[in-house]
Amino acid sequence: MKIILTQEVSGLGAPGDIVEVKNGYGRNYLLPQGFAIAWTKGAEKQVTLIKRARSAREIRDLGHANEVKGQLEGLKVNLKARAGDGGRLFGSVTPAEIVDAVKAAGGPVLDRRRLELPGHIKSTGSYPVRIKLHPEVTAKFDLTVVQG
């Protein structure tokens, strides 16, 4: 089955890629989850729009990735979250909240899907967060979750 990816799927490709997958995988998982659309000639024209949007927000090259890495590693990121007694959070910290906190701290705009968390963040404290900026560049920064 030929499909066009609309989101990044690890081990398969990036948005806008046209890939060939087994019928069941495409029909039962990728299409219903919204990770892909069925390939048609008209849909292939939409690929250019998807790729244009991706290139606008993507890290351009290795040099740019190293520049962004330098910005991130010198950043102090604090995130205020509602917490109860003992520092236990109501819920957990999401990647979208971390991206917003980085932006509020004066950092670059990041893609939440590229964040690598050390597990679920469910209490206040300091946590190491990694982000894959480029296939060869991974940045690390500390996230401090405080009661707010």
Side-chain angles (χ1 to χ4, degrees):
M1 167 179 235
K2 213 174 193 184
I3 58 169
I4 301 170
L5 297 177
T6 57
Q7 295 182 18
E8 185 171 341
V9 178
S10 61
L12 199 56
D17 290 349
I18 299 171
V19 293
E20 186 81 28
V21 295
K22 300 241 178 176
N23 289 339
Y25 183 51
R27 193 171 46 247
N28 297 326
Y29 178 68
L30 295 174
L31 294 175
Q33 295 292 327
F35 293 137
I37 55 174
W39 178 87
T40 61
K41 287 184 181 179
E44 191 168 356
K45 292 177 184 174
Q46 291 180 337
V47 170
T48 57
L49 297 174
I50 293 170
K51 286 189 176 183
R52 192 176 307 139
R54 177 178 60 175
S55 67
R57 70 170 185 266
E58 193 174 88
I59 304 294
R60 289 185 293 280
D61 57 7
L62 185 61
H64 187 238
N66 285 323
E67 180 183 315
V68 171
K69 179 181 178 181
Q71 286 179 331
L72 282 174
E73 291 181 344
L75 211 58
K76 295 199 183 321
V77 181
N78 291 322
L79 178 67
K80 289 186 178 182
R82 289 187 38 196
D85 295 336
R88 185 160 170 84
L89 300 181
F90 298 125
S92 63
V93 175
T94 64
E97 291 173 330
I98 295 172
V99 167
D100 291 341
V102 168
K103 189 175 176 186
V109 177
L110 302 173
D111 185 3
R112 65 177 168 75
R113 294 177 293 244
R114 297 191 183 274
L115 282 176
E116 297 173 3
L117 300 176
H120 296 288
I121 300 175
K122 294 188 175 219
S123 61
T124 58
S126 184
Y127 297 91
V129 177
R130 296 170 31 135
I131 182 161
K132 194 167 179 94
L133 299 170
H134 189 268
E136 301 170 18
V137 179
T138 302
K140 298 173 190 145
F141 63 91
D142 284 328
L143 171 72
T144 305
V145 180
V146 294
Q147 187 169 355

